[in-house]
Amino acid sequence: MYFSTTDDGIELEKIQNDLTYLHNCYVEMLRDIGEEQVANAIEEGHHSKSDSEKISKAFSLYFQFITIVEENAAVQLRRKLEDEYGLDRISGLWGKTLQDLSDQKIPETDILNKLPDIKVEPVLTAHPTESKRSTVIDQLRSVYLLMVRRENEMWTTLEKEQIRDEIMTAMQRLWNTGQVFLHKPSIQDELTNIMHYLTNVFPKVLPMLDQRLREAWEKAGFNAELLDDYRKFPKMSFGNWVGGDRDGHPFVTDRVTRETLLGLRKQALHLLKNDLSGLAKKLSISSFEVETPAMLSARLNEMKVRGGEAAIQALERNIEEPWRQYLNLMQVLLPLQENGEPVEKPDAKRYYTSEEEVLLDLDILIKSLHEINAGRIIKSDVEPIARKAATFGLHLAAVDIRQNSQFHDNAMAQLLQASGIKDGENFADWSEEKRVDFLNAELQSSRPFVRHRQGLGTEADAVLACYHVVNKHINRYGTNGIGSFIVSMTRSLSDLLVVYALCREAGLMELTDEGMACKVPVVPLLETIEDLEEGPDILDAFLKHPVTQRSIDYRQERDNSDRYQQVMVGYSDSNKDGGIFASLWSLNQAQLKLSAVGEKHDIRIRYFHGRGGTISRGAGPTHRFIAGLPSGTVQGDMRLTEQGEMISQKYANTVTALYNLELLQAGTASHTLSKDSGKDLQSDLQPIVNKLYDYSLESYQSLVHSDEFVQFFSQATPIDVIESSSIGSRPARRTGKRSFGDLRAIPWVFSWSQARFFLTGWYGVGSALQRLRDEDPEAFSELSKEAVNFMPFRYIITNASSAIALTDTEIMKEYASLVEDQALADEYLNKIEAEFNTTREMLELLYGHNLSERRPRMYKMIEFRSERLKPLHQLQIEQLKTWRGLKASGKEKEAAEQLPEMLLVLNAIASGLGTTG
């Protein structure tokens, strides 16, 4: 038996006690500042229309306090369980993972050899859904830390009162802080938020993560001395989309990308400088006490020559402390000016130009400390800094450049027109055969289409300006700060070849002996159900292409890597397109086929999982998500997005950040190293689940593609308020239209959750299971027996059951009353409610008991939140009626005046549900 704290791992009694404590603090604070009416509303759990703005804010904060209590309770429970039962008690973490591998009789040497090949790369994206301002996140963090302090039983009565006063002070600061963005956040606002995690959270967590692995390694009975070098640990790195992702985001310009890359580099250099400076303060080892190793002295002399005048000044300090002098010289070699700004064009003879150089000097430092038997200093003081240097380098995080294939087509058309190519302006309409033939011919030459790169057209100017920024950055600082060029809505081979042609135009192609190779990986993003089905054929043609072959070989030699091709798979659009079952299963099947294509070409496929923050967009317990991935597709490499409010939920607090990163690391290792028991089940059950895929897709699409469904959606959810909100810097629609195809997946999901339908998380599952049971009882019986053991299927039904738990049919009906055509409302509401009941019944049949009995704690917490959400839903419905009436009457000014108050309610409901999109 093991215990998972991701589902029901919370102690209700502790939560109730802590919540009562915070509740009392909150009410007392409100009464102290004269907000008697608001305090009464919190006490009694009701809503008054006359003070809706304050009440919305009050409930919004209250829900966030609930989240703090739940998070702290989960942390304390994990500590308690590990203390009482051992590190292998909790699923998904290193303790359980290594114990499982040991139980499978996998030798520790095999595990040790493969650990350094494990790589995890969370990619931070801020555009979609973060509805809380970073200022609010900081203040909430203060309350959380005070609740953690309160756990200590050593405090005196007076000290406990002091903690209580500090909590109420933090609450008062929160009360007087604006809760939502009244103006859309700038990209710089989003980047500032991302920088906080990259500089203040992850560097602090990384050494703790390594320590967790060391402890679990020893507790599993493995030889602790084998794990004696930081290079033996799994690799960790980070990616970033803020300032690089320009798909439907016109505000991300070449200037923004340049400033983003330089800003990340500056922060990385300061992080490293601060670490080296801090280490220098610790290493007060005197040459009078120990003999200075020859290797250290030799390297000191080399660094002195390289550092010039600045090195001589550094050596004048700490004369009898060579280790301090060494670290002072390492700081001199960092490409930073005296004013703290990075050196714009660092001379390789004078400065470090890569983290590899830094790591080589740290390795010499480590070896010199080994010579004086300073093992503890190495382990505690030096290796954590080496790990951080290897992780964050001189770039902090790799920036991906994402753009839509249609945008690239427009850019290419403008280039062809400017260069006088016949019919070039209609490039987007050329047949695929004509496009590929033309691009193949062009890619045999290094000659650009045009000599100038401005005034070509909006799209061409934008793409080339961005690519020139990337090329300039690579030429000055190397490739580590650049991720890849991701092509959204990849529909064909030519969508990828176009990027090669555009790269040629910007100098991003390297001329090798065999021909041109691309400096930056070009990555297909497969998003819709159809794209996922076509993806293997597209990838096969792409990997066959000589430019791709040369590019992979070129980067293998340049980066000292294996031969791999990254492929991004999207969870949001495929869910919007086909519903949760069809989405997750099509992703499963696509990955198996894509991996087979890679194997055919002797190229490893590196998957980049575009998960969102909700069940509908691929979210769910991290280790369950990884365990549900197809057998053989992870191969020790996990790259995935962390989006919107999930960044603050997962990483705002150190211990929670540690837990979530450990789940990623250990889950990736487990999937890669475990003896493969899932292949047989996949083979046996795939035909059955394929049927369910067809049934669920038919059910879901018959609903969303019916004639007037978008009208129902537009009126029965607050989509129009979301489109008017300031949650992210990105528009809610790709164009100005509101059609099913044009709606972005994130506002689509956000709208259904606000109205408590959560339709995208379960619709189609019940009718599919029911149809299988009725038409093929034997297959249904076989699937039922293995429902929990077959991890991909288990992940689907677990997520669907979570979405069912969040759905409230009574609230749904109240939102449906907003639809002007009552017959239309009744028609769709009846369909949706019938499918809801069917899905719940079929899931209960699979599990063998009621869903609420299966996860009683989760249902209890949802029930607790739902009671306090009801008045907010009622208020939002009233607001929507009034606001829409004003807009329909042409009273735009009066409608605009209503919006700030509506956004507060929107934010309060999102806080109560713990999710936006």
Side-chain angles (χ1 to χ4, degrees):
M1 286 293 290
Y2 63 84
F3 194 92
S4 169
T5 61
T6 53
D7 291 331
D8 292 339
I10 50 177
E11 293 181 315
L12 285 176
E13 185 179 353
K14 174 172 176 52
I15 285 181
Q16 192 59 59
N17 291 340
D18 285 356
L19 194 53
T20 299
Y21 176 85
L22 278 186
H23 172 97
N24 292 338
C25 289
Y26 191 36
V27 169
E28 185 178 333
M29 182 278 294
L30 289 169
R31 294 197 197 284
D32 284 349
I33 60 173
E35 297 289 356
E36 196 71 30
Q37 194 173 10
V38 179
N40 290 339
I42 293 293
E43 286 274 61
E44 297 162 19
H46 68 70
H47 206 300
S48 168
K49 292 179 189 176
S50 62
D51 51 18
S52 59
E53 185 174 334
K54 285 185 176 179
I55 301 295
S56 297
K57 182 168 76 169
F59 274 99
S60 178
L61 284 172
Y62 192 72
F63 289 129
Q64 290 168 58
F65 297 147
I66 295 175
T67 301
I68 285 171
V69 165
E70 290 170 345
E71 183 178 347
N72 184 47
V75 168
Q76 301 308 325
L77 180 59
R78 287 197 295 271
R79 284 175 166 159
K80 177 182 174 184
L81 290 170
E82 288 189 346
D83 190 48
E84 290 181 8
Y85 301 102
L87 293 179
D88 61 342
R89 175 70 177 198
I90 300 170
S91 63
L93 301 182
W94 275 121
K96 176 66 177 164
T97 296
L98 292 176
Q99 189 59 57
D100 285 348
L101 295 175
S102 176
D103 292 345
Q104 293 174 47
K105 309 298 182 190
I106 298 175
E108 64 179 4
T109 51
D110 288 2
I111 301 170
L112 189 74
N113 290 337
K114 290 179 181 177
L115 275 182
D117 297 328
I118 302 295
K119 181 179 180 182
V120 169
E121 185 179 7
V123 180
L124 308 184
T125 76
H127 68 263
T129 56
E130 178 56 86
S131 59
K132 291 194 293 294
R133 297 173 60 211
S134 58
T135 302
V136 173
I137 294 168
D138 288 341
Q139 300 290 3
L140 288 168
R141 192 180 299 120
S142 298
V143 177
Y144 173 85
L145 292 173
L146 287 164
M147 288 298 288
V148 173
R149 270 180 62 193
R150 183 174 167 266
E151 295 290 334
N152 197 323
E153 296 179 2
M154 64 177 279
W155 304 121
T156 66
T157 302
L158 287 175
E159 287 170 328
K160 289 176 183 176
E161 281 301 311
Q162 179 61 34
I163 291 173
R164 192 172 191 274
D165 285 344
E166 288 182 42
I167 287 173
M168 290 169 64
T169 301
M171 287 176 166
Q172 190 171 340
R173 286 197 299 266
L174 274 163
W175 180 256
N176 290 309
T177 300
Q179 294 293 298
V180 296
F181 290 111
L182 297 178
H183 304 285
K184 280 191 176 289
S186 68
I187 296 158
Q188 186 56 52
D189 291 332
E190 293 181 334
L191 188 60
T192 299
N193 189 40
I194 293 296
M195 287 286 197
H196 166 76
Y197 295 97
L198 290 171
T199 57
N200 297 325
V201 178
F202 298 133
K204 187 187 297 184
V205 169
L206 196 59
M208 299 164 68
L209 191 60
D210 289 348
Q211 184 59 27
R212 291 279 300 174
L213 174 53
R214 281 194 185 95
E215 291 166 353
W217 182 266
E218 196 167 348
K219 293 295 182 185
F222 298 148
N223 184 352
E225 292 180 5
L226 293 177
L227 209 59
D228 60 349
D229 184 337
Y230 74 93
R231 294 182 187 270
K232 294 180 179 180
F233 285 75
K235 294 179 179 68
M236 176 73 71
S237 60
F238 294 90
N240 170 48
W241 273 20
V242 179
D245 181 17
R246 55 232 316 122
D247 178 17
H249 203 328
F251 312 118
V252 181
T253 62
D254 57 303
R255 179 180 175 181
V256 164
T257 299
R258 181 176 64 252
E259 290 174 352
T260 298
L261 288 166
L262 294 176
L264 288 165
R265 180 174 171 81
K266 178 179 177 179
Q267 292 295 328
L269 289 168
H270 279 281
L271 179 66
L272 186 51
K273 183 176 175 62
N274 291 338
D275 277 345
L276 294 173
S277 176
L279 184 56
K281 290 176 182 175
K282 289 181 180 179
L283 292 193
S284 54
I285 304 170
S286 171
S287 56
F288 290 123
E289 300 297 325
V290 294
E291 185 177 344
T292 305
M295 72 175 77
L296 192 72
S297 298
R299 183 59 184 149
L300 274 168
N301 288 329
E302 292 170 1
M303 294 165 87
K304 175 184 174 182
V305 173
R306 186 177 185 183
E309 183 61 33
I312 293 170
Q313 293 175 16
L315 287 171
E316 289 173 354
R317 304 192 306 273
N318 315 115
I319 291 173
E320 305 302 335
E321 296 173 328
W323 281 270
R324 270 187 171 162
Q325 289 185 315
Y326 188 88
L327 289 161
N328 291 339
L329 286 178
M330 285 190 73
Q331 293 173 68
V332 166
L333 298 183
L334 291 175
L336 280 171
Q337 302 176 55
E338 287 186 15
N339 64 2
E341 291 299 314
V343 175
E344 190 175 339
K345 298 178 182 178
D347 180 355
K349 293 179 181 178
R350 166 67 178 82
Y351 296 105
Y352 290 132
T353 57
S354 69
E355 56 259 39
E356 286 77 14
E357 286 188 90
V358 176
L359 290 171
L360 285 172
D361 277 346
L362 285 172
D363 284 344
I364 290 172
L365 179 68
I366 289 170
K367 287 174 185 174
S368 72
L369 290 168
H370 270 303
E371 283 202 18
I372 63 168
N373 296 317
R376 288 186 180 275
I377 292 174
I378 294 169
K379 184 177 175 182
S380 298
D381 297 337
V382 185
E383 286 201 336
I385 289 171
R387 278 286 277 166
K388 283 190 269 183
T391 297
F392 300 104
L394 310 185
H395 63 282
L396 202 65
V399 177
D400 285 334
I401 307 296
R402 182 174 75 138
Q403 185 53 277
N404 195 287
S405 58
Q406 182 63 53
F407 198 96
H408 290 150
D409 278 357
N410 293 343
M412 179 59 71
Q414 290 158 11
L415 265 174
L416 298 186
Q417 188 173 16
S419 62
I421 302 290
K422 184 182 177 183
D423 195 34
E425 67 274 16
N426 296 313
F427 175 78
D429 300 323
W430 290 6
S431 69
E432 175 66 5
E433 184 181 3
K434 181 178 178 181
R435 283 160 60 103
V436 171
D437 286 347
F438 173 78
L439 291 165
N440 282 342
E442 281 296 324
L443 290 171
Q444 291 180 27
S445 166
S446 59
R447 170 194 49 79
F449 288 113
V450 294
R451 294 294 174 186
H452 62 285
R453 66 172 193 265
Q454 291 179 331
L456 300 168
T458 303
E459 288 87 350
D461 288 352
V463 171
L464 295 184
C466 169
Y467 284 13
H468 277 286
V469 164
V470 171
N471 192 40
K472 186 176 180 180
H473 193 86
I474 288 173
N475 291 337
R476 285 187 178 176
Y477 309 119
T479 57
N480 286 348
I482 307 297
S484 53
F485 289 160
I486 298 173
V487 185
S488 314
M489 295 296 176
T490 298
R491 301 280 165 78
S492 63
L493 170 63
S494 65
D495 287 341
L496 302 171
L497 300 185
V498 162
V499 180
Y500 283 152
L502 293 169
C503 284
R504 183 191 71 175
E505 213 65 16
L508 280 165
M509 300 297 274
E510 191 78 26
L511 194 58
T512 70
D513 292 341
E514 290 77 29
M516 288 192 301
C518 194
K519 297 178 187 177
V520 179
V522 175
V523 173
L525 168 47
L526 307 172
E527 300 177 84
T528 66
I529 298 282
E530 185 179 354
D531 294 346
L532 288 164
E533 289 174 351
E534 299 292 332
D537 289 339
I538 296 170
L539 182 66
D540 186 42
F542 187 55
L543 294 183
K544 281 179 190 170
H545 200 275
V547 176
T548 304
Q549 289 278 340
R550 287 195 295 270
S551 299
I552 289 172
D553 291 341
Y554 165 76
R555 291 192 298 269
Q556 178 187 22
E557 184 176 348
R558 183 193 69 193
D559 302 335
N560 191 27
S561 66
D562 64 339
R563 300 178 79 240
Y564 73 90
Q565 169 65 44
Q566 187 180 151
V567 176
M568 186 171 183
V569 288
Y571 289 71
S572 303
D573 281 280
S574 58
N575 174 271
K576 172 177 164 271
D577 196 35
I580 190 167
F581 198 107
S583 169
L584 291 177
W585 188 246
S586 64
L587 282 156
N588 176 285
Q589 295 297 286
Q591 287 171 73
L592 285 170
K593 292 172 185 174
L594 291 163
S595 291
V597 170
E599 196 171 332
K600 169 184 165 185
H601 293 281
D602 193 27
I603 292 170
R604 177 175 65 86
I605 304 303
R606 183 189 193 204
Y607 290 102
F608 180 13
H609 299 275
R611 298 174 80 211
T614 61
I615 288 162
S616 304
R617 297 179 48 238
T622 299
H623 60 300
R624 297 279 181 237
F625 163 72
I626 296 173
L629 293 172
S631 174
T633 60
V634 173
Q635 298 185 73
D637 198 343
M638 178 58 56
R639 191 173 204 249
L640 76 175
T641 53
E642 296 287 18
Q643 294 189 1
E645 79 275 8
M646 297 313 297
I647 297 172
S648 60
Q649 286 183 21
K650 285 184 173 183
Y651 303 117
N653 299 307
T654 305
V655 179
T656 307
L658 172 62
Y659 172 66
N660 283 296
L661 288 179
E662 187 177 348
L663 285 175
L664 272 178
Q665 259 196 0
T668 302
S670 176
H671 197 287
T672 303
L673 297 171
S674 292
K675 290 180 179 176
D676 204 343
S677 58
K679 275 188 177 178
D680 292 341
L681 274 179
Q682 179 92 28
S683 176
D684 293 344
L685 298 178
Q686 185 164 308
I688 299 173
V689 185
N690 283 343
K691 285 185 181 180
L692 289 173
Y693 164 86
D694 291 334
Y695 300 159
S696 66
L697 184 64
E698 181 183 331
S699 172
Y700 177 85
Q701 291 191 336
S702 68
L703 176 77
V704 299
H705 290 307
S706 55
D707 291 342
E708 295 169 300
F709 186 72
V710 171
Q711 181 184 338
F712 173 81
F713 162 72
S714 299
Q715 296 178 17
T717 74
I719 179 61
D720 39 1
V721 182
I722 291 166
E723 289 176 341
S724 302
S725 76
S726 302
I727 287 174
S729 61
R730 171 186 299 267
R733 283 179 257 155
R734 287 189 165 89
T735 72
K737 301 177 291 182
R738 182 186 288 146
S739 63
F740 179 78
D742 199 62
L743 273 164
R744 287 192 176 278
I746 293 159
W748 165 261
V749 172
F750 192 1
S751 302
W752 288 119
S753 66
Q754 282 273 308
R756 298 299 291 279
F757 284 79
F758 283 91
L759 181 132
T760 53
W762 54 264
Y763 197 94
V765 174
S767 54
L769 288 167
Q770 187 180 63
R771 186 172 167 185
L772 179 70
R773 183 197 63 183
D774 294 346
E775 295 182 8
D776 193 345
E778 190 175 330
F780 182 81
S781 175
E782 185 180 351
L783 182 66
S784 299
K785 289 174 188 173
E786 301 291 353
V788 175
N789 297 324
F790 183 38
M791 296 307 292
F793 182 72
R794 177 179 175 177
Y795 187 68
I796 295 172
I797 60 173
T798 298
N799 281 0
S801 66
S802 296
I804 286 287
L806 289 163
T807 303
D808 189 315
T809 53
E810 294 305 312
I811 299 292
M812 273 167 42
K813 290 174 185 174
E814 292 183 39
Y815 278 93
S817 71
L818 291 166
V819 179
E820 293 167 4
D821 184 337
Q822 198 53 51
L824 181 72
D826 291 343
E827 176 192 346
Y828 281 115
L829 193 61
N830 290 339
K831 280 184 184 177
I832 291 168
E833 196 169 3
E835 178 65 14
F836 171 82
N837 291 327
T838 300
T839 301
R840 185 175 58 191
E841 289 165 10
M842 294 309 298
L843 288 172
E844 289 179 343
L845 185 62
L846 275 181
Y847 286 124
H849 45 67
N850 290 341
L851 295 181
S852 58
E853 292 174 4
R854 179 174 171 265
R855 296 165 77 177
R857 292 187 179 93
M858 184 187 77
Y859 268 83
K860 191 73 177 174
M861 292 310 302
I862 291 172
E863 180 186 342
F864 183 78
R865 286 172 177 259
S866 291
E867 284 302 311
R868 285 149 185 83
L869 277 165
K870 280 180 183 176
L872 292 173
H873 287 301
Q874 289 160 1
L875 177 62
Q876 187 177 66
I877 289 165
E878 290 300 318
Q879 287 178 332
L880 284 167
K881 285 178 184 174
T882 304
W883 185 64
R884 289 172 179 173
L886 289 170
K887 289 175 76 70
S889 305
K891 298 177 180 178
E892 292 293 337
K893 184 182 178 184
E894 291 91 332
E897 290 170 354
Q898 300 285 316
L899 198 56
E901 194 172 321
M902 296 179 76
L903 294 182
L904 277 171
V905 177
L906 190 84
N907 193 57
I909 292 173
S911 296
L913 295 170
T915 182
T916 53

